[in-house]
């Protein structure tokens, strides 16, 4: 990562501020965004939350090291563009988190001079948008496919490969049925049914509160087959 280089450490002392948050703290609200700074996740896991129609907080995305917040501030005419009230969101620390505040003009000037050093930051943001867009594409499909895609997204962010079998991936305890239902935009009862069906297909190898294992190969083949059909 570029922020582990000696050049970055020199810049950081002058231009970048690090802020630490404890688990459960709100790290960012779009309604209170700073138009002069972009936020970079240096360490930790965060959840993006929006309000549903009942005013409840719903988890819609996971953010991890190397991802950006407040990227909308890079829009040239950000002073005349605002996120509408109905799509405001907040970001909450799931674990202890460190965020770097990056001066917008500093980032843009270095992007111009050395774009390759920062390219991976925007690649991650692009992939995140693609994944969210695909979630919208399959929103009219069956719950099983939507849950399978949610598991694929989760694995890509916070999955831990088993040391005994590289095809098996652990997912952390915070990934509950409720969390998956929110991420897949499905009802809780239908999500539970889909989890049972995916277990019968050996896509979910184990589903216990303290040990949840996904077979990545089976999951990938299932997604390719369903999407191809």
């Amino acid at each position: 990562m570029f922020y582990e280089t000696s050049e970055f450490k020199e810049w950081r002392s002058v231009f970048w501020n690090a802020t630490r948050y404890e688990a459960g703290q709100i790290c960012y609200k779009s309604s209170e965004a700073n138009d002069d700074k972009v936020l970079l996740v240096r360490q930790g896991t965060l959840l993006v939350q929006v309000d549903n129609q009942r005013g409840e907080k719903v988890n819609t995305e996971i953010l991890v090291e190397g991802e950006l917040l407040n990227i909308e501030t890079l829009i040239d005419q950000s002073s005349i563009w605002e996120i509408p009230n109905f799509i405001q969101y907040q970001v909450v620390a799931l674990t202890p988190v460190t965020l770097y505040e990056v001066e917008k003009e500093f980032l843009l000037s270095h992007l111009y001079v050395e774009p390759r050093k920062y390219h991976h930051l925007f690649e991650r943001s692009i992939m995140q948008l693609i994944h969210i867009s695909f979630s919208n594409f399959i929103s009219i499909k069956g719950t099983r496919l939507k849950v399978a895609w949610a598991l694929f997204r989760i694995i890509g962010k916070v999955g831990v490969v088993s040391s005994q079998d590289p095809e098996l991936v652990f997912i952390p305890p915070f990934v509950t049925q409720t969390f998956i239902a929110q991420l897949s935009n499905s009802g809780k009862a239908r999500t539970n049914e889909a989890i049972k069906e995916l277990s019968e297909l050996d896509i979910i190898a184990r589903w216990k509160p303290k040990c949840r294992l996904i077979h990545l190969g089976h999951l990938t083949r299932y997604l390719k087959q369903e999407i191809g059909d």
Side-chain angles (χ1 to χ4, degrees):
M1 292 292 185
F2 77 93
Y3 43 79
E4 295 173 342
T5 65
S6 58
E7 295 168 289
F8 169 76
K9 292 175 181 177
E10 181 180 350
W11 297 336
R12 182 184 64 192
S13 64
V14 180
F15 295 103
W16 301 45
N17 295 319
T19 304
R20 184 172 174 82
Y21 298 89
E22 298 302 323
Q25 283 190 290
I26 297 174
C27 306
Y28 174 85
K29 285 187 176 183
S30 59
S31 59
E32 301 172 2
N34 188 327
D35 289 340
D36 297 324
K37 298 182 186 299
V38 177
L39 303 180
L40 167 67
V41 182
R42 175 61 183 89
Q43 187 178 37
T45 304
L46 306 96
L47 297 177
V48 180
Q49 299 179 329
V50 299
D51 289 334
N52 63 15
Q53 293 179 335
R54 295 187 294 274
E56 301 166 332
K57 297 299 181 187
V58 175
N59 301 313
T60 60
E61 186 58 284
I62 302 169
L63 298 177
V64 294
E65 179 186 346
E67 295 186 310
L68 297 172
L69 294 175
N70 197 27
I71 195 170
E72 54 267 21
T73 196
L74 295 178
I75 295 173
D76 281 343
Q77 296 181 323
S78 58
S79 60
I80 61 172
W81 185 86
E82 294 181 358
I83 299 177
N85 290 333
F86 59 85
I87 57 171
Q88 296 290 338
Y89 64 96
Q90 70 177 25
V91 182
V92 177
L94 184 63
T95 65
V97 165
T98 301
L99 296 179
Y100 284 137
E101 293 183 352
V102 186
E103 293 289 343
K104 172 184 174 180
E105 293 305 321
F106 171 84
L107 178 60
L108 290 175
S109 63
H110 281 77
L111 269 175
Y112 178 76
V113 176
E114 297 181 285
R116 295 301 303 178
K117 284 191 175 180
Y118 296 85
H119 190 69
H120 75 280
L121 286 178
F122 297 98
E123 284 179 343
R124 296 191 68 144
S125 296
I126 291 168
M127 290 305 302
Q128 183 179 341
L129 291 173
I130 290 172
H131 286 169
I132 293 172
S133 297
F134 186 74
S135 299
N136 292 331
F137 172 75
I138 65 170
S139 62
I140 60 172
K141 304 292 185 178
T143 303
R144 188 169 69 184
L145 176 58
K146 292 192 291 184
V147 168
W149 177 246
L151 290 173
F152 186 81
R153 289 172 61 194
I154 291 165
I155 286 172
K157 292 294 185 74
V158 293
V160 177
V161 177
S162 168
S163 59
Q164 298 179 346
D165 185 347
E167 287 288 314
L168 294 176
V169 182
F170 289 95
I171 55 176
F174 76 82
V175 182
T176 62
Q177 284 94 330
T178 299
F179 184 90
I180 294 171
Q182 293 175 352
L183 200 63
S184 62
N185 196 24
S186 305
K188 292 182 183 178
R190 298 296 298 273
T191 298
N192 288 339
E193 290 176 11
I195 289 172
K196 291 178 183 177
E197 292 171 358
L198 293 172
S199 297
E200 293 170 358
L201 293 172
D202 293 327
I203 292 170
I204 295 177
R206 185 175 299 172
W207 193 262
K208 301 292 184 181
K210 295 185 179 180
C211 183
R212 289 172 176 164
L213 276 171
I214 310 298
H215 194 289
L216 182 58
H218 292 170
L219 174 60
T220 303
R221 284 191 288 274
Y222 170 78
L223 288 170
K224 286 182 178 178
Q225 178 182 344
E226 290 296 311
I227 295 166
D229 293 343

